Amino acid sequence: MTPDILFTSLVVAAVLGALASNRVPAEVTMMAALVAVLVGGVISPDQALAGFANPGLMTVAVLYVVAAALRDTGAIYWIAHKLLGQPKTLTGSQTRLIAPTALLSAFLNNTTVVAMMIPAVQEWAQRLKLSASQLLLPLSYAAILGGTCTLIGTSTNLVVDGMMQRRGLEGFHIFDLAWVGVPLLLAGSVFLLLLGRRLLPNRAGLVEQVERAREYHVEMVVPEGSPLHQKTIQDAGLRNLTHGYLTEIQRGDKLYTAVGPDMQILAGDQLAFIGAPDCARELQRINGLVPAHGGAHKLKLNNHQRCLVEVVIGPEFPGLNHTVKDSAFRTRYQAAILSISRGGRRQPGKVGEQILRIGDTLLLETGQTFVEQYRYRRDFMLVSPLSDSTPPDFSKAPLATAILVGMVAINVIGLLSVLEAAFIAAGLLLATRCVTVNRARMNVSVNLPVLVVIGAAFALGTALEESGTAAFIVEGLMGQGIDNPWLALLVVYLITALFTEVITNNAAAVLVFPIATGVAEHLGVSPMPYIVAVMFAASASFMTPLGYQTNLMVMGPGGYRFTDYLRIGVPMSILAAAVTTVLIPVFWPFGVS
């Protein structure tokens, strides 16, 4: 063992320990490792920074812009609502859940898909009187399985594809991985439907009921031309909202207080909802509803400039003891009051006629500059923005969806690479204002830690090769008598799967990649089966909440414990290993290198 091998091995061991402990942010750990191998002389500055210019990393970054456009136009919510339908049973819910989640995850970032689907799943749980824990873990697993079906389905596939191209190997087309991914998705889905519900817990989540600390009365109108016209309450998705409920409908001079699920909605109806602050954000995402009283559309603000903000009226508020209308609130603050809460209870009646008191909590729809402008003014004691409360621009959802389909089609027929197609799609989405430059920049910035982890992981992977550590590990494996290509494939898969359960999936893929190619070179066979095995094993993280971000996202809402992941994740991982290692040599034969 040379000094470089010893030094690199110690760095890798420290990285594995830091990532597994989860005490230090992954991007900090990986950048520290990059600096260590650079300063230690294992790699050159050019090699250290090469990962940040890798096509795989750049593709991941550009696809974040595409995902932002699909979210801002409401295309994701529209697609999910159409595909999910209205199931009546647990099995039906799980079946209708897995299919659309896997479909969306095949083309969009898994984290985005799961974040968008969690409220819909919680709504199902309320309607069916089921625990969300019976649905949320299958949601995460379906996203993971769906992401393995295409090249752009998960960042791991793009990262490994970028490493292949750097070695001079031909990259994958968008659907090449479907030969293994689709059978794996089908096998995993059958397992979840037949055995999963027996292994899933029936437990209340952390957010099982509507938060009533600040309850609001929010009124919405069904405008002319609304897609909700003549739909029933049930079909419109208003029967069981996650953060509130429909109390009454005003239709002309008639007031309907007993609102049943089969009652039809008509254009011009005014709908009254009661719920937590997030209820207003949830209603914004329903195509066909607009605020009834003084919405921000009267402030001449575009959708991407709007957001929801909560404020608490202070003693120096100039409109104290006046009605909202007399205080000229909208003109003075360029903000529209959607609802008023006093002492944690909703204030019924028309907003414009409410008298404003000290301590009233107002739910506002306003511009994004409001928070910075009034955060430290004495008009309000507290100014608190609601996260991710910009309303979708549903009018551009079909255009955004068409651009996504075009991006996939261009790559499938071989006109452009995935990176080139993604660049064109992002450019068109920006040019057509499906997403603004600021929103696109914000989305990439939010995911910047992921990009940093990927770029730095490339440097650590290069260090494993340059120092001879990868070759040293390969010789150790081969010294155990592993001379059968399929057995070696299984070992590579298991090593990657183990790494991805305790560290990030991208880091696991980059660290094992040089080992996988070294095994192929040692055996004198094609490296492709081993590269594909790394792709699938790095994504197939089912046994812990740490290995994949979506697993962690559902842990709180589902009320899961660490043992829940092991109970269902271990057999899922065994199934994935069996399906993958059997099918990979069929479509990517070992052959001769």
Side-chain angles (χ1 to χ4, degrees):
M1 180 180 288
T2 65
D4 279 352
I5 292 177
L6 178 60
F7 178 73
T8 305
S9 299
L10 291 175
V11 171
V12 171
V15 167
L16 294 176
L19 292 176
S21 70
N22 207 33
R23 293 181 179 178
V24 182
E27 64 273 21
V28 175
T29 298
M30 297 306 297
M31 283 302 295
L34 181 151
V35 172
V37 293
L38 173 62
V39 174
V42 179
I43 57 175
S44 66
D46 287 344
Q47 290 173 321
L49 300 177
F52 294 97
N54 187 275
L57 182 142
M58 293 304 300
T59 305
V60 173
V62 176
L63 287 176
Y64 282 142
V65 177
V66 176
L70 293 169
R71 185 184 64 239
D72 286 359
T73 60
I76 290 178
Y77 308 108
W78 179 78
I79 292 171
H81 181 72
K82 291 293 183 183
L83 295 179
L84 290 177
Q86 301 293 328
K88 304 295 183 182
T89 64
L90 173 60
T91 302
S93 296
Q94 290 178 335
T95 303
R96 296 295 291 268
L97 172 69
I98 291 171
T101 302
L103 178 63
L104 289 171
S105 295
F107 301 103
L108 300 175
N109 178 269
N110 292 349
T111 304
T112 301
V113 172
V114 172
M116 177 271 299
M117 295 286 283
I118 285 176
V121 173
Q122 290 174 319
E123 177 188 332
W124 271 351
Q126 290 178 352
R127 181 168 66 248
L128 300 176
K129 294 181 173 57
L130 298 171
S131 169
S133 63
Q134 295 176 301
L135 297 170
L136 287 174
L137 202 52
L139 168 70
S140 177
Y141 287 176
I144 292 171
L145 293 170
T148 65
C149 294
T150 67
L151 179 61
I152 64 173
T154 173
S155 59
T156 305
N157 292 348
L158 291 167
V159 167
V160 175
D161 185 67
M163 297 181 74
M164 286 173 53
Q165 294 182 44
R166 191 177 66 179
R167 283 176 167 267
L169 299 172
E170 183 180 354
F172 290 101
H173 289 93
I174 194 167
F175 287 119
D176 285 352
L177 299 174
W179 295 109
V180 177
V182 171
L184 177 60
L185 170 62
L186 294 175
S189 301
V190 171
F191 171 82
L192 288 173
L193 293 173
L194 295 182
L195 298 176
R197 58 180 176 175
R198 293 184 175 87
L199 301 174
L200 288 166
N202 187 352
R203 190 178 301 128
L206 298 180
V207 191
E208 199 67 23
Q209 298 179 349
V210 175
E211 174 196 6
R212 300 192 182 278
R214 299 178 309 285
E215 190 179 69
Y216 289 106
H217 179 271
V218 181
E219 295 185 346
M220 307 292 284
V221 169
V222 181
E224 292 294 333
S226 169
L228 301 183
H229 176 63
Q230 294 187 334
K231 280 192 173 183
T232 65
I233 299 294
Q234 181 82 20
D235 293 340
L238 302 176
R239 177 59 178 169
N240 292 97
L241 297 169
T242 304
H243 300 285
Y245 55 94
L246 176 63
T247 59
E248 59 189 33
I249 296 179
Q250 180 79 43
R251 181 173 296 162
D253 295 332
K254 293 185 177 181
L255 179 66
Y256 298 90
T257 55
V259 182
D262 297 325
M263 181 176 178
Q264 274 195 333
I265 301 172
L266 301 179
D269 284 354
Q270 184 167 307
L271 283 60
F273 298 87
I274 293 176
D278 283 343
C279 179
R281 179 175 61 184
E282 189 174 6
L283 293 172
Q284 283 183 334
R285 294 176 176 175
I286 297 176
N287 187 16
L289 292 179
V290 295
H293 302 298
H297 60 283
K298 294 185 179 180
L299 303 175
K300 298 181 180 179
L301 293 171
N302 294 323
N303 279 55
H304 67 270
Q305 297 173 312
R306 292 155 59 183
C307 65
L308 297 178
V309 177
E310 280 188 296
V311 299
V312 178
I313 292 179
E316 297 187 28
F317 177 72
L320 281 179
N321 301 319
H322 290 79
T323 65
V324 171
K325 185 177 181 180
D326 292 341
S327 71
F329 191 94
R330 186 190 308 125
T331 303
R332 183 189 301 269
Y333 296 103
Q334 283 297 293
I337 301 176
L338 297 182
S339 187
I340 301 173
S341 177
R342 182 171 298 158
R345 297 183 178 181
R346 58 187 172 85
Q347 291 296 105
K350 293 184 178 180
V351 170
E353 298 174 357
Q354 297 292 324
I355 297 177
L356 298 173
R357 311 287 189 191
I358 294 177
D360 282 355
T361 304
L362 313 182
L363 182 63
L364 309 179
E365 188 170 17
T366 183
Q368 294 181 348
T369 59
F370 181 92
V371 175
E372 293 303 320
Q373 187 174 358
Y374 292 101
R375 187 188 294 273
Y376 302 110
R377 293 269 295 271
R378 296 191 177 186
D379 303 53
F380 308 110
M381 292 186 290
L382 177 68
V383 177
S384 175
L386 269 67
S387 61
D388 195 24
S389 59
T390 300
D393 184 1
F394 287 103
S395 64
K396 293 185 177 179
L399 177 59
T401 304
I403 291 174
L404 173 66
V405 173
M407 179 190 79
V408 174
I410 287 174
N411 180 256
V412 169
I413 61 180
L415 289 179
L416 297 173
S417 68
V418 174
L419 177 59
E420 292 167 333
F423 267 126
I424 291 178
L428 288 174
L429 291 167
L430 288 167
T432 56
R433 304 287 290 177
C434 288
V435 63
T436 65
V437 174
N438 285 338
R439 293 283 293 175
R441 184 188 299 120
M442 185 188 307
N443 204 56
V444 174
S445 298
V446 168
N447 293 283
L448 187 60
V450 177
L451 302 177
V452 171
V453 168
I454 295 171
F458 276 118
L460 195 55
T462 302
L464 283 171
E465 293 185 83
E466 293 294 319
S467 66
T469 306
F472 180 80
I473 295 173
V474 169
E475 289 177 5
L477 290 174
M478 296 299 102
Q480 304 301 316
I482 304 175
D483 55 2
N484 180 283
W486 185 86
L487 185 58
L489 179 73
L490 180 61
V491 170
V492 168
Y493 184 97
L494 294 177
I495 291 175
T496 311
L498 177 62
F499 275 23
T500 201
E501 293 294 353
V502 294
I503 64 176
T504 66
N505 51 328
N506 289 317
V510 174
L511 291 177
V512 181
F513 182 88
I515 297 173
T517 54
V519 168
E521 184 178 349
H522 183 90
L523 294 174
V525 298
S526 170
M528 292 304 296
Y530 301 94
I531 292 173
V532 177
V534 169
M535 281 181 160
F536 279 93
S539 296
S541 175
F542 306 109
M543 293 189 292
T544 70
L546 305 176
Y548 212 90
Q549 190 171 358
T550 59
N551 286 346
L552 193 59
M553 289 170 63
V554 301
M555 189 174 188
Y560 296 115
R561 301 167 186 162
F562 197 90
T563 53
D564 296 327
Y565 290 86
L566 290 176
R567 187 186 308 114
I568 190 170
V570 169
M572 274 288 289
S573 296
I574 294 173
L575 176 65
V579 173
T580 304
T581 54
V582 167
L583 290 180
I584 285 176
V586 175
F587 298 104
W588 289 275
F590 292 110
V592 179
S593 62

